[in-house]
Amino acid sequence: MNQIITFGEVLMRISPRGNKKFIQSNNVEFYFGGTELNVGISIANFGGDVKHISVISDDFIGDTAISYLRKFDVSTSAIVRSKRPLGVYFLEVGAVMRPSSISYNRSHSSFSEIQPEMVNWEKALKKGKWFHWTGITPALCKGGYETLKEGLILAQKKGMQISADPTYRSGLWKWGGNPKEILSELVSLSTIFIGGVNEMNELLGTNYSFSNEDFIEASKELMEKFPSIEKVFDKIRTSINSSWHKIRARMWNGTEFKETQDLDITHVIDRIGTGDAFAAGIIHGLQHFDDYKTMEFGSAACAIKHTYMGDVNYANEKDVISILEGNTTGRLNR
């Protein structure tokens, strides 16, 4: 009973090679990803037993996506196939002062037709210990919200840990649902909150600043409103430019505040999926370390993801621990 469950859309990413714009290039490369899938694969790379639940196109692209999940030993037993195409997004990777740009093509994707009856949650959660969700899934479609809610209610009844990353992206909420009400409902079913002051302000209707003092006060108010939340973990990014970022983390576990030192990323290879790497590090860490080392592990996992091209963090547990132990020179391993 130690399986980590992730649930969400699988996307194909298409990008020109290097830091080119589409108008500059006739050559592109593709990757598979998706917020919750990125978390699941990262945890699998740390040694976790992971099952991803989604709806994927019933064609050769969908076959390739499923093969990609299986390559990382992520269980696909609860994947549903659809005649609709897999969702796609297009990415131009920025550099220095030029930001990256993304365009999504997912409105009529295979995942957009999901309905609660398509997932047998009792069977899917049979070996489940942990359920991770994000605010992306309920934003995409009513069926995504209703299916997720059904899974979370059962997971809560089974006593599973439930981590919430209630990312709010206003541009995704097009089906008529009330984001604040829906995300609040889902957070009330969760135990671990992975998010910062922005997310807490959206849920609480407050205007806390980004200071540590306000983070603590916001966390306290969040826990008061949602008593099931036990701990709050936040990733802080300082962007010098598109190619140079600093990452640190902070937490409030109900009794104490802790914060890590900045990790300096002076040459960003790819920032897509770095927040997912942080979430995966927190989920893995809470099952193996104390709260402070968990926070350090999440920060280091986020930092090293910036060095991998694609949506997924390919680092294993040993790689991440080496970073949090201070081995950041990049010296050649022999």
Side-chain angles (χ1 to χ4, degrees):
M1 304 291 290
N2 63 349
Q3 196 167 59
I4 292 90
I5 309 298
T6 54
F7 169 65
E9 184 170 26
V10 177
L11 294 167
M12 174 183 277
R13 160 179 152 186
I14 300 176
S15 292
R17 294 182 183 275
N19 297 89
K20 293 181 178 180
K21 295 177 71 66
F22 275 95
I23 200 169
Q24 290 180 273
S25 178
N26 293 318
N27 296 312
V28 297
E29 51 194 5
F30 73 89
Y31 303 90
F32 290 105
T35 299
E36 300 85 1
L37 174 62
N38 298 340
V39 173
I41 290 177
S42 184
I43 294 171
N45 286 336
F46 297 149
D49 179 9
V50 178
K51 175 186 288 182
H52 187 67
I53 302 170
S54 190
V55 181
I56 291 179
S57 59
D58 190 14
D59 56 15
F60 67 92
I61 297 297
D63 293 342
T64 307
I66 288 176
S67 295
Y68 183 75
L69 271 67
R70 289 174 177 165
K71 180 170 70 172
F72 297 99
D73 292 326
V74 172
S75 172
T76 60
S77 63
I79 296 288
V80 179
R81 306 303 294 270
S82 166
K83 295 300 180 184
R84 293 190 182 186
L86 197 72
V88 176
Y89 78 95
F90 302 92
L91 171 69
E92 293 180 336
V93 180
V96 195
M97 75 285 295
R98 175 167 61 86
S100 297
S101 298
I102 290 179
S103 177
Y104 290 99
N105 188 347
R106 67 201 303 182
S107 297
H108 302 285
S109 69
S110 50
F111 189 82
S112 70
E113 70 171 354
I114 192 166
Q115 297 295 328
E117 61 270 18
M118 297 170 72
V119 178
N120 183 338
W121 282 113
E122 189 66 49
K123 182 178 180 180
L125 300 182
K126 186 176 182 180
K127 297 181 180 179
K129 175 183 181 181
W130 196 296
F131 191 123
H132 178 70
W133 68 274
T134 82
I136 302 298
T137 296
L140 292 175
C141 56
K142 185 178 182 181
Y145 154 61
E146 292 176 340
T147 308
L148 173 59
K149 178 183 175 181
E150 189 173 291
L152 290 178
I153 290 172
L154 182 59
Q156 185 187 59
K157 287 180 180 177
K158 289 177 173 289
M160 294 172 61
Q161 285 279 51
I162 300 173
S163 50
D165 178 2
T167 307
Y168 173 67
R169 295 183 186 168
S170 59
L172 293 179
W173 289 85
K174 299 178 180 178
W175 60 269
N178 184 303
K180 182 179 178 181
E181 290 180 2
I182 288 171
L183 292 176
S184 294
E185 179 185 32
L186 300 178
V187 168
S188 72
L189 299 169
S190 307
T191 57
I192 304 297
F193 190 92
I194 304 174
V197 174
N198 277 340
E199 289 75 24
M200 288 188 275
N201 281 337
E202 289 290 341
L203 291 168
L204 300 171
T206 51
N207 192 32
Y208 286 107
S209 74
F210 291 95
S211 70
N212 286 341
E213 292 76 13
D214 271 21
F215 169 75
I216 294 169
E217 291 306 310
S219 298
K220 289 179 178 178
E221 186 170 343
L222 182 83
M223 290 179 171
E224 186 175 329
K225 181 172 181 179
F226 304 102
S228 62
I229 297 296
E230 301 166 1
K231 300 172 184 180
V232 178
F233 292 90
D234 180 25
K235 167 185 62 65
I236 302 172
R237 178 187 303 276
T238 303
S239 297
I240 312 303
N241 56 44
S242 289
S243 305
W244 180 7
H245 294 181
K246 297 175 184 285
I247 295 293
R248 72 180 189 277
R250 58 187 177 181
M251 70 169 194
W252 174 254
N253 64 5
T255 57
E256 65 177 345
F257 169 82
K258 293 285 187 180
E259 185 178 29
T260 68
Q261 298 295 314
D262 276 329
L263 287 168
D264 214 11
I265 308 158
T266 56
H267 186 72
V268 174
I269 302 299
D270 194 332
R271 69 161 290 180
I272 301 295
T274 53
D276 306 327
F278 176 75
I282 296 300
I283 295 167
H284 178 77
L286 285 171
Q287 297 174 78
H288 297 88
F289 313 129
D290 62 29
D291 289 347
Y292 184 70
K293 188 171 181 180
T294 290
M295 180 179 57
E296 287 188 308
F297 190 88
S299 180
C302 174
I304 199 172
K305 165 60 191 75
H306 289 76
T307 71
Y308 295 112
M309 186 63 71
D311 293 40
V312 169
N313 187 11
Y314 296 96
N316 59 33
E317 184 185 66
K318 183 179 178 180
D319 296 329
V320 177
I321 288 176
S322 179
I323 297 298
L324 69 86
E325 289 178 345
N327 298 316
T328 59
T329 61
R331 292 184 63 185
L332 180 66
N333 289 326
R334 294 185 184 274

